[in-house]
Amino acid sequence: MQLNDQPLTRTLRAALASKKILLMTHLVLGYPSFAVNREVVRRMVTAGVDLIELQIPFSEPVADGPMILKANQESISSGVTVAGCLEFAAEVIAAHGIPFLFMTYYNILFKYGVEDFVSLAREIGIKGFIVPDLPPEEGKEFLEITRAAGLAPIQIFAPTSTPERMRYLAGHGDGFIYCVARRGVTGSKTDFDTDFADYMVRCRAATDLPLAVGFGIRNRDDVASLVGRADIAVIGTETIRLVDSRGPGAVEEFIAGLR
Amino acid sequence: MDIKEGYYGQWGGAFTPEVLHSTFAELKAAFKKAKEDPAFWQEYVNLMSSYSCRPTPLTAAENLSGLFGGARIFIKREDLNHTGAHKANNVIGQGLLVKRMGKKRVIAETGAGQHGVATATMAAKFGFDCTIYMGEEDVRRQRPNVFWMEKLGATVVPVTDGSRTLKDAINEAFRDWVGSMDDTHYVMGTVCGPHPFPEMVAWFQSIIGIEARAQILDRTGGLPAAVYACVGGGSNAMGIFQGFLNDPEVELVGVEAGGRGLDSGEHASRLAGRDASPGVAQGYKTMFLQNADGQMRDTHSVAAGLDYIGVSPMLTDLWEKGRVRFAAATDAEVMDTLDLTMRREGIIPALESAHGFVQAFKEAPGLSPDDSIIINMSGRGDKDIFTIAHAFNDPSWKEFIIARGKEYAAE
Ligand SMILES: Cc1ncc(COP(=O)(O)O)c(C=O)c1O
């Protein structure tokens, strides 16, 4: 099989040549403020994060748990706009040399106009998109436009996805595959047990794209247990919790201690 | 023409997270099998007649017809369903489906609480565990229904996110479902959400229209000039409209919540107003009340069950095709109409249902006595006692509440 040569995939493979596992972090734009976001991104990059997922807040984030839900709502109610998020993304992308992705729900792209949104994202240097409520069946236009722009429409695997479904999803995906570690929304604990190991084997069999694992990864042990099974560990809720409780200053040490 | 599964014109679809993909596949298959099995519908109709007072009557509102002069006004009495609203039709149907699927637990969202009460009732009857999500604001507005849900054995979870109304309860129910789908069915309360929910709920609610058409033909020898129904998500409206969709001479009128007026920004009128635009949220594509960024707006209605950001994709399609006309009734009009209907007919419509009455009363005088019209009375108003007493500023009710409060405080 010929290896996927999409730009983001290539970047990730290159990084994997010298690291056992990559780290992807997540933040909700505008929460608690762009100023704090800016500092958090800087500290994450300094601590060696390999890629960052920037969530554009949406009023109905159905796949997110309480922590990220609250962050979405507070960001919106403080007046954060999509235009503001795009502007902030352009700034951090220009300042830091790692790949950034947009994570958001489909309505944000739909309302903006998928074509305009993708072309602007490309201009500012975004490398891909994670849109959890847009399955390939509904996302034909989005997939075509994203691919044509050379950006990665990241697809999502779940423990409930059958092998056929995984192959179908992988066929529409690029960059890497985001493997949701368990059923449920973001934010609660995940057991990395034998079921999980079997799941990762199924994911690996379905695609040669790099595999990211997210939902419930909180500490060094969690990350260690992914080495050899996955290529990217995703830390989402935990950094929001950390910034809320201890401020952005705590981020660097936390990230640096993960691997 | 390229007709995509789960779409009504350009509206509908299934914008669901991957983790629910297999759950929806299972639900679609179970629903398809049930729909193709005449024994299933027969079982449903039998149960509805023995448990839920079906067929519900079509009542001639003679006093109101006399008052307005013009068309003869008939009321389809969904308030006489078990638990007091059309919600029972849908819930019992889904309950039979859950039994077939072998699941043990049901969850639901509720606005006015009627769908929650119906679901809790169904769960009690079929022996399912039951959790109901309800916006904190609606918990406050619909306290009597919360009381009944709990007494029926359900766990009521007040949702404190967002606007603390129906839309937030729907998000919370989805959040539960993505972790619990192995043994849990989400009993969607209206003809919204991802495919196959709109089709499934519409199918169960079609029993209203099937009955109403036969009843009006029997009573008047002809079809009505118009059929009126309130529209929250749109299930009672789709229920009765389906009986007349193939009768082009029958005008179908959906009435949304005009709240404090269509220009006030405080309403829930998607299709009657000008504030809604196409969007994708809560798993489907329709006209939503949202801002230019695609963030959903706060809505307002005196009727908790109409206070919703979206509307059935089926209705949006029928509206776009010109088959269903939309109007809005304001909170103030609703209170006046409620007063009138109680005094003249001895009937207490739910605040939701009263929206349909408002538009029917506006239009009846312009029709001829040879015409008839039907109002779908989706539910009864008992549940609204606190809201109605407050709106009427009823002095003796206030006295009673104060006295009760003192008694409890002294305990
Ligand atoms: C009595 C009653 N009527 C109408 C509605 C609105 O729902 P729908 O438009 O789905 O019939 C509700 C919703 O809770 C209700 O309780």
Side-chain angles (χ1 to χ4, degrees), chain B residues 20-60:
Chain B
L20 283 175
H21 182 83
S22 54
T23 308
F24 274 98
E26 179 196 11
L27 180 61
K28 274 189 283 191
F31 171 55
K32 187 164 180 281
K33 252 180 97 181
K35 202 170 173 180
E36 284 163 359
D37 177 5
F40 181 85
W41 185 259
Q42 200 48 55
E43 184 187 6
Y44 168 69
V45 170
N46 292 348
L47 185 57
M48 290 312 288
S49 74
S50 66
Y51 192 61
S52 192
C53 194
R54 297 216 76 94
T56 57
L58 187 70
T59 300

Side-chain angles (χ1 to χ4, degrees), chain A residues 155-173:
Chain A
Q155 297 298 317
I156 298 170
F157 287 178
T160 47
S161 311
T162 60
E164 306 79 67
R165 178 78 184 160
M166 284 181 179
R167 276 193 297 276
Y168 171 79
L169 292 167
H172 290 282

Side-chain angles (χ1 to χ4, degrees), chain A residues 59 64 82 107 111 138 183-184, chain B residues 7 14 175 178 182 277 280:
Chain A
S59 56
D64 285 301
V82 173
N107 200 45
K111 267 304 255 188
E138 301 289 3
R183 296 155 200 222
Chain B
Y7 274 83
R175 287 196 181 93
V178 298
D182 283 350
S277 60
V280 178

Side-chain angles (χ1 to χ4, degrees), chain B residues 111-112 137-145 260 300-305 331 334-335 338 342 349-352 355 381-394 397-398 401:
Chain B
E137 168 67 12
D138 293 335
V139 166
R140 192 184 62 73
R141 290 196 282 186
Q142 300 288 344
R143 191 72 223 177
N145 274 339
R260 302 201 169 94
H300 163 81
S301 170
V302 69
D331 292 351
V334 163
M335 294 314 298
L338 194 61
M342 288 193 284
L351 284 167
E352 289 79 9
H355 285 70
D382 319 29
K383 69 179 174 70
D384 299 315
I385 185 159
F386 286 89
T387 314
I388 294 174
H390 182 75
F392 285 141
N393 202 7
D394 187 272
W397 176 259
K398 271 190 192 163
I401 294 289

Side-chain angles (χ1 to χ4, degrees), chain B residues 84-87 110-115 166 189-191 205 230-237 304-306 315 350-353 377-380 383:
Chain B
H86 68 297
K87 301 286 178 185
T110 194
Q114 291 301 98
H115 176 56
L166 183 58
T190 189
V191 279
Q205 293 292 5
C230 68
V231 178
S235 68
N236 85 89
L306 304 188
L315 284 171
L351 284 167
E352 289 79 9
S353 317
M377 180 164 159
S378 55
R380 62 172 192 237
K383 69 179 174 70

Side-chain angles (χ1 to χ4, degrees), chain A residues 57-62 64 69 73 76 81-82 107-108 110-111 132-133 137-138 156 158 160-161 165 169 183-184, chain B residues 4 7 13-15 17-19 21-22 161-162 167 171 175 178 182 277-280 290-291 293-296:
Chain A
F58 180 46
S59 56
E60 324 297 310
V62 283
D64 285 301
L69 166 67
Q73 286 174 343
I76 295 164
T81 60
V82 173
N107 200 45
I108 298 294
F110 177 78
K111 267 304 255 188
D133 65 344
E137 289 88 344
E138 301 289 3
I156 298 170
T160 47
S161 311
R165 178 78 184 160
L169 292 167
R183 296 155 200 222
Chain B
K4 251 179 98 178
Y7 274 83
F15 296 81
E18 174 57 24
V19 69
H21 182 83
S22 54
D161 311 311
K167 79 169 179 68
N171 292 338
R175 287 196 181 93
V178 298
D182 283 350
S277 60
V280 178
Q290 57 182 331
N291 71 14
D293 266 359
Q295 311 295 359
M296 297 302 142

Side-chain angles (χ1 to χ4, degrees), chain B residues 83-161:
Chain B
T83 72
H86 68 297
K87 301 286 178 185
N89 306 330
N90 167 38
V91 155
I92 297 288
Q94 290 197 47
L96 290 173
L97 205 60
V98 175
K99 248 178 46 180
R100 284 195 161 202
M101 289 190 291
K103 297 197 172 182
K104 300 277 179 282
R105 175 176 177 259
V106 291
I107 55 175
E109 86 295 343
T110 194
Q114 291 301 98
H115 176 56
V117 170
T119 303
T121 301
M122 175 273 277
K125 179 161 176 63
F126 290 139
F128 304 139
D129 283 340
C130 180
T131 301
I132 305 290
Y133 293 95
M134 188 169 186
E136 200 178 41
E137 168 67 12
D138 293 335
V139 166
R140 192 184 62 73
R141 290 196 282 186
Q142 300 288 344
R143 191 72 223 177
N145 274 339
V146 175
F147 174 81
W148 286 125
M149 283 182 255
E150 289 175 345
K151 290 296 150 216
L152 288 158
T155 304
V156 180
V157 181
V159 177
T160 56
D161 311 311

